[in-house]
């Protein structure tokens, strides 16, 4: 079999395996949701991009136009180049994670040369990029063809996008594989990988919030216009008759792809040879292995004094389980990253605060909601799954359901109540919130945290997740199930919304107006009716956590392993 046949077969097997993995809906609700998200996003980009391109094709004519300080053609080159840089970063991160490891490397590398194996993975990664970009590229090309009357646009636009994808993969994948080699072969990095990833995540978040990311992109935009990586924009425009593309740069795109592809293949082969034929540093036990070695009463000398205080208040089994829950959280810092996911929805708010120096009046309410959500997610939304391989020992021990559930609730409250209350108080004092409302909000924070924690322990017990989720190829962590996340979040948001409607007259008026606008057939809701409905709903939602706690206790006492 020739070298090209080896490359094509490795790529085909890899793509087939990955497609089957992502289209297999028997993997649970999360897998189905991921597939639906892909279909919706790809379909929306294809149809929406095609429609917008059709409209643009009829509105924009030949000849260049000014877009701010730049010409439209130059601006399009800059956009293509900057997006190519971002795409290369995404591909590099994929290589650092799951994509940089050759499946069944021992068998493959004894049959084919390293270069052919690497090119097979490189080609497979290019196919994945085309799976995301191919549909929108064809949609935009067809839209421009219909809008301009030039059928050639349906060819040149996909070719230009394919050229961008080729350079993105040729640059990003070798760089990512090189980073993976450094991360897995340097002892300090390998043994503190979780902490370093968490720190990098926080630095990235700060980079976004402070506006540094936007400033960097703006600074790169002008010089990237002259970069060869922006030439595919001329190829895309070549068949449309729009603006003023350069035929020389459009033809030069082929040379750029060839040169960058050859350089990426050569460099990537050298990196792959060094990486695949070297042994990784032993980074220590995985989360599951370390958890299996920790029995319910296993504590170190540093926690003895604190355990005695907990034991005096709650009993020895509960105290041991509390310390075990904290240690599991400390040993798996990647799991804590899920807590900050809601903050991404508030990036714009944080950016405004950083720029203006003022905290909006609604932020204290959002802070209370966030700390309550975080308190329920960390320790109590997957109590059975967090036990890992130690669950059979816990079930067979003398720990009963009340002690087990109470331990996880206490583990959450001891950490979340002081931290959440102080954070809420600080945000409320710095905001324009009235003093009376600030006092009430701060006083209610511990209560809401307790309610959220007690609620989440029942939901997490009802819908546990035992299987670890891949963060990278070599790192896994057990996180709550998607359904548990959804149910807990919906209940918490509904509780806060109902409480705001009941207590705030302005919120009642706004809510009634919104419902009247949304409801069909001319139906409407007045503020008094909405307040009554919210009060009834609030009573039901407040009672639910007590029932959730009792359910969690009975569930543990009656739980059996399959």
């Amino acid at each position: 079999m020739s070298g090209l046949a080896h490359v094509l077969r490795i790529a085909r097997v890899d793509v087939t395996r990955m497609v089957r993995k992502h289209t297999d809906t028997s993997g649970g609700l999360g897998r189905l949701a991921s597939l639906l998200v892909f279909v919706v996003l790809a379909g929306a980009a294809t149809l929406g991009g095609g429609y917008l391109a059709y409209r643009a094709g009829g509105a924009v004519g030949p000849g260049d136009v000014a877009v701010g300080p730049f010409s439209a053609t130059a601006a399009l080159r800059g956009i293509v180049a900057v997006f190519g840089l971002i795409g290369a970063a995404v591909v590099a991160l994929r290589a650092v994670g799951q994509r940089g490891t050759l499946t069944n490397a021992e068998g493959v590398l004894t049959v084919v040369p390293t270069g052919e194996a690497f090119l097979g993975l490189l080609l497979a990664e290019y196919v994945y990029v085309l799976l995301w970009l191919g549909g929108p590229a064809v949609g935009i090309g067809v839209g421009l063809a219909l809008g301009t009357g030039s059928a050639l646009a349906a060819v040149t636009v996909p070719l230009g996008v394919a050229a961008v994808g080729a350079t993105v993969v040729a640059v990003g994948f070798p760089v990512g594989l090189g980073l993976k080699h450094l991360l897995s072969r340097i002892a300090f990095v390998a043994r503190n990988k979780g902490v370093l990833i968490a720190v990098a995540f926080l630095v990235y978040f700060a980079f976004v919030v402070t506006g540094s990311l936007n400033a960097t992109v703006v600074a790169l935009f002008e010089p990237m216009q002259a970069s060869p990586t922006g030439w595919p924009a001329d190829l895309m425009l070549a068949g449309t008759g729009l603006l003023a593309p350069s035929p020389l740069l459009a033809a030069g795109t082929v040379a750029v792809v060839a040169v960058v592809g050859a350089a990426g293949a050569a460099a990537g082969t050298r990196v792959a040879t060094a990486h695949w034929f070297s042994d990784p540093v032993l980074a220590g036990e995985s989360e599951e292995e370390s958890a299996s070695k920790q029995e319910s009463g296993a504590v170190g000398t540093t926690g003895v004094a604190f355990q005695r205080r907990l034991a005096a208040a709650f009993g020895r089994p509960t105290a041991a389980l509390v310390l075990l829950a904290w240690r599991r959280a400390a040993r798996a810092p990647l799991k804590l990253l899920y807590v900050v996911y809601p903050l991404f929805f508030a990036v714009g708010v944080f950016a405004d605060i950083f720029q203006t120096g003022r905290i909006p009046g609604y932020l204290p309410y959002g802070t209370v909601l966030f700390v309550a959500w975080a308190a329920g997610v960390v320790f109590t939304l997957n109590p059975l799954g967090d036990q890992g391989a130690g669950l059979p020992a816990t079930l067979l021990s003398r720990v009963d359901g009340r002690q087990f559930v109470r331990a996880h609730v206490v583990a959450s409250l001891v950490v979340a109540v002081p931290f959440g209350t102080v954070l809420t108080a600080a945000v409320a004092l710095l905001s324009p919130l009235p003093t009376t409302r600030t006092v009430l909000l701060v006083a209610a924070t511990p209560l809401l945290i307790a309610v959220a924690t007690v609620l989440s322990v029942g939901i997490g017990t009802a819908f546990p997740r035992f299987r670890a989720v891949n963060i990278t190829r070599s790192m896994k962590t057990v996180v709550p199930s998607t359904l548990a996340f959804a149910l807990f979040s919906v209940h918490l948001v509904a509780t806060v919304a109902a409480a705001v409607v009941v207590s705030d007259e302005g919120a009642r008026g706004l809510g009634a107006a919104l419902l009247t606008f949304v409801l069909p057939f001319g139906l409407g809701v007045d503020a008094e009716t909405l307040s009554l409905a919210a009060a009834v709903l609030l009573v039901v939602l407040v009672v639910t956590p007590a029932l959730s706690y009792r359910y969690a206790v009975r569930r543990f006492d009656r739980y059996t392993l399959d």
Side-chain angles (χ1 to χ4, degrees):
M1 184 178 291
S2 65
L4 178 60
H6 286 151
V7 172
L8 294 176
R9 173 163 295 186
I10 291 173
R12 179 175 60 81
V13 170
D14 194 275
V15 171
T16 302
R17 182 187 295 115
M18 191 61 65
V19 169
R20 286 177 178 174
K21 174 183 176 182
H22 288 290
T23 56
D24 181 14
T25 56
S26 62
L29 184 62
R31 187 71 55 81
L32 178 61
S34 177
L35 179 61
L36 290 176
V37 167
F38 170 77
V39 172
V40 170
L41 290 179
T46 301
L47 298 178
Y51 175 73
L52 293 177
Y54 169 75
R55 297 293 300 270
V60 180
D64 224 341
V65 295
V67 180
F70 312 110
S71 67
T73 305
L76 184 59
R77 292 190 193 112
I79 292 172
V80 168
V82 170
F83 271 96
L85 186 63
I86 295 173
V90 173
V91 172
L93 288 176
R94 283 172 54 84
V96 171
Q98 298 183 10
R99 299 295 304 145
T101 300
L102 181 65
T103 303
N104 192 21
E106 295 82 0
V108 173
L109 294 177
T110 56
V111 178
V112 300
T114 306
E116 295 174 7
F118 173 77
L119 289 177
L121 283 187
L122 197 69
L123 180 59
E125 189 68 13
Y126 181 52
V127 173
Y128 300 144
V129 171
L130 293 183
L131 285 176
W132 276 99
L133 300 182
V138 171
I140 293 173
V142 172
L144 285 175
L146 294 175
T148 62
S150 173
L152 192 59
V155 178
T156 58
V157 172
L159 284 178
V161 173
V164 173
T167 56
V168 161
V169 174
V171 173
F173 200 80
V175 170
L177 188 60
L179 290 175
K180 185 179 182 68
H181 181 72
L182 295 177
L183 292 173
S184 59
R185 269 56 175 179
I186 299 177
F188 173 80
V189 176
R191 290 174 181 147
N192 298 277
K193 192 183 300 182
V195 175
L196 293 176
I197 290 177
V199 171
F201 180 86
L202 294 176
V203 171
Y204 169 76
F205 188 78
F207 199 60
V208 173
V209 168
T210 58
S212 300
L213 181 61
N214 292 336
T216 302
V217 172
V218 170
L220 289 174
F221 183 73
E222 185 171 359
M224 292 295 283
Q225 293 179 16
S227 169
T229 55
W231 294 358
D234 293 86
L235 178 58
M236 296 178 198
L237 293 173
T240 64
L242 303 177
L243 302 181
S246 168
L248 182 61
L249 297 185
T253 301
V254 179
V256 170
V257 172
V259 171
V260 174
T269 299
R270 292 180 63 89
V271 175
T273 302
H275 182 65
W276 291 340
F277 287 94
S278 61
D279 295 325
V281 175
L282 296 178
E285 299 169 331
S286 68
E287 178 190 357
E288 294 180 350
E289 291 171 343
S290 62
S292 65
K293 294 182 179 182
Q294 297 179 50
E295 300 298 332
S296 298
V299 293
T301 55
T302 56
V304 171
F306 194 72
Q307 183 183 4
R308 287 175 180 172
R309 297 178 183 177
L310 289 174
F314 304 105
R316 292 182 61 186
T318 299
L321 286 172
V322 169
L323 291 180
L324 183 58
W326 287 341
R327 290 188 171 189
R328 281 201 172 97
R331 287 174 178 265
L334 290 179
K335 177 183 175 181
L336 302 181
L337 292 180
Y338 286 84
V339 176
V340 301
Y341 272 9
L343 296 181
F344 278 106
F345 296 99
V347 167
V349 177
F350 295 136
D352 289 340
I353 293 173
F354 182 82
Q355 294 173 4
T356 63
R358 293 193 300 268
I359 294 179
Y362 59 82
L363 191 59
Y365 299 103
T367 303
V368 173
L369 181 61
F370 169 71
V371 296
W373 187 87
V377 167
V378 177
F379 297 107
T380 52
L381 199 54
N382 192 28
L384 295 175
D386 286 341
Q387 294 294 308
L391 180 59
T394 303
L395 292 173
L396 294 174
S397 68
R398 296 181 180 180
V399 175
D400 59 21
R402 189 176 300 276
Q403 293 170 328
F404 179 81
V405 173
R406 183 191 302 161
H408 286 80
V409 171
V410 170
S412 178
L413 294 181
V414 169
V415 175
V417 168
F419 175 79
T421 303
V422 171
L423 180 61
T424 302
V427 174
L429 289 173
L430 294 174
S431 72
L433 208 63
T435 304
T436 303
R437 191 163 296 180
T438 297
V439 173
L440 291 176
L441 190 63
V442 173
T445 299
L447 177 62
L448 186 57
I449 290 175
V451 169
T453 302
V454 173
L455 169 72
S456 65
V457 75
I459 295 176
T461 306
F463 304 101
R465 170 181 278 170
F466 300 100
R467 188 179 305 173
V469 177
N470 279 94
I471 304 300
T472 68
R473 173 73 71 171
S474 59
M475 297 185 68
K476 295 183 177 182
T477 187
V478 179
V479 297
S481 66
T482 305
L483 186 56
F485 265 125
L487 291 176
F488 174 62
S489 301
V490 168
H491 184 283
L492 191 60
V493 171
T495 302
V496 173
V500 170
V501 169
V502 170
S503 61
D504 190 282
E505 183 177 355
R508 288 196 293 273
L510 178 61
L514 290 175
L515 287 176
T516 302
F517 177 76
V518 171
L519 290 175
F521 310 116
L523 298 176
V525 177
D526 56 35
E528 291 75 13
T529 303
L530 180 61
S531 178
L532 178 61
V536 174
L537 178 63
L538 184 61
V539 171
V540 175
L541 294 174
V542 170
V543 171
T544 303
L547 301 177
S548 177
Y549 182 88
R550 295 186 61 183
Y551 170 81
V553 172
R554 292 197 304 270
R555 171 78 165 165
F556 180 86
D557 287 333
R558 300 173 184 176
Y559 193 83
T560 56
L561 296 174
D562 296 332

